Amino acid sequence: MSRLAAGVVLVTAQEPPLDADDPGAPAGEDVGMTATAFLSVSLDPPLAMVSLRAGSRMDDLLAEQPLWAVSVLAESQRHIAGRFAMRGRISDRLLFEDIPYVRGEVSGAPLVGGALATLELRTEQRVTAGDHTLVIGRVLTARVPSADGGPLLYFRGRYRHLG
């Protein structure tokens, strides 16, 4: 499978508030994860899918948080992909610190500035597939904030760009 070039996305979600019954409770932390297994599933209705390692922080979060987002990374955003691909990190708070982003109108999740496209989704189905979970989401918003540059690709174990 390393011979199959794949686009690189940042999947993001916001943890629910620590105390959902208290409007003054602090919001949950933002969580992000680099993924290369993301694809369009259906145009009608608009569905997309991401494959998550079972038991990963993102898999656990999306099991309880139905709203999430995806930023399609540009070739100039390799550093973002590498940062969020690290395993075993304790907190994502510092990883978002110097990355420009806006909050999704529907999901509240970070949408990376300069991304080629951004989507907000609501989970429709979760499918166990070996050691991964396939999360299928309905696309709620889709934007093309930046038309500059080409896509960031992953091929033969390395980040690449077209050209």
Side-chain angles (χ1 to χ4, degrees), residues 101-159:
Y101 67 86
V102 297
R103 293 222 172 263
E105 298 169 15
V106 176
S107 67
L111 300 170
V112 176
L116 296 179
T118 60
L119 302 104
E120 292 181 277
L121 305 99
R122 176 181 287 113
T123 300
E124 294 246 326
Q125 187 175 3
R126 292 172 55 86
V127 179
T128 300
D131 61 357
H132 278 65
T133 303
L134 308 178
V135 181
I136 300 169
R138 181 179 296 257
V139 178
L140 304 173
T141 68
R143 293 192 171 67
V144 181
S146 175
D148 295 338
L152 181 61
L153 300 176
Y154 194 73
F155 179 70
R156 295 182 67 188
R158 294 179 47 206
Y159 294 115

Side-chain angles (χ1 to χ4, degrees), residues 50 52-56 58-66 68 123-129 132-137:
V50 65
L52 306 174
R53 185 174 40 84
S56 67
M58 187 62 74
D59 182 37
D60 291 345
L61 176 56
L62 294 190
E64 66 175 279
Q65 165 61 281
W68 45 289
T123 300
E124 294 246 326
Q125 187 175 3
R126 292 172 55 86
V127 179
T128 300
H132 278 65
T133 303
L134 308 178
V135 181
I136 300 169

